[in-house]
Amino acid sequence: MDLETFRLLVKGVIPVGTVLQNPGGGTSIIKSLTNRAISYKRLSSTINVSFRVLFDAYNNFKGKKVLTNDLKSYKPSIYDSKKGGHDCNCTFLFMVLCRLPLVVEIEGRGVKGSPFFVNIPK
């Protein structure tokens, strides 16, 4: 799959207004979709993440088990709140991949010793 196919798939399956149930509780609501990025509301924050970032993470971890901690190490400026990113982007990526459906389910409890993770088929 290429970036454009990924972008079109996301836009077709997850339109503006879609409410995603976060695995740790609460929701993420899709606020806007442009050709470049997707914007979602989580609690009182509106977060923007580019399709390229989501697509690159999907490709990087294809065929592997990926934990939230792996994403934070991979691109801290995107996935780690302590390093300029947003922790919410980790589970957001997982929820997007589940909706497409490029992964089966989000596993783990989202706590130390049992982080959220997905298995991304090759």
Side-chain angles (χ1 to χ4, degrees), residues 49-92:
V49 62
S50 77
F51 285 107
R52 167 61 72 189
V53 163
L54 298 174
F55 178 73
D56 286 350
Y58 164 69
N59 273 327
N60 186 72
F61 292 102
K62 205 183 303 183
K64 300 176 185 169
K65 173 181 175 178
V66 57
L67 292 78
T68 52
N69 295 337
D70 296 330
L71 289 170
K72 290 176 183 185
S73 294
Y74 166 67
K75 290 244 185 208
S77 64
I78 302 295
Y79 298 105
D80 191 338
S81 295
K82 294 176 184 162
K83 298 189 177 165
H86 295 281
D87 291 350
C88 296
N89 284 337
C90 296
T91 52
F92 184 74

Side-chain angles (χ1 to χ4, degrees), residues 16 71 102:
V16 171
L71 289 170
L102 297 171

Side-chain angles (χ1 to χ4, degrees), residues 12-114:
V13 174
I14 310 171
V16 171
T18 298
V19 178
L20 301 170
Q21 297 297 320
N22 292 308
T27 60
S28 291
I29 303 167
I30 305 305
K31 302 305 283 179
S32 71
L33 296 157
T34 67
N35 282 334
R36 189 187 87 55
I38 185 168
S39 173
Y40 65 97
K41 186 168 179 77
R42 172 79 171 120
L43 298 174
S44 61
S45 298
T46 298
I47 301 168
N48 297 300
V49 62
S50 77
F51 285 107
R52 167 61 72 189
V53 163
L54 298 174
F55 178 73
D56 286 350
Y58 164 69
N59 273 327
N60 186 72
F61 292 102
K62 205 183 303 183
K64 300 176 185 169
K65 173 181 175 178
V66 57
L67 292 78
T68 52
N69 295 337
D70 296 330
L71 289 170
K72 290 176 183 185
S73 294
Y74 166 67
K75 290 244 185 208
S77 64
I78 302 295
Y79 298 105
D80 191 338
S81 295
K82 294 176 184 162
K83 298 189 177 165
H86 295 281
D87 291 350
C88 296
N89 284 337
C90 296
T91 52
F92 184 74
L93 170 65
F94 294 168
M95 291 184 295
V96 167
L97 295 177
C98 278
R99 279 288 181 109
L100 291 185
L102 297 171
V103 302
V104 176
E105 66 180 326
I106 301 170
E107 300 181 65
R109 294 190 331 257
V111 296
K112 188 173 183 166
S114 182

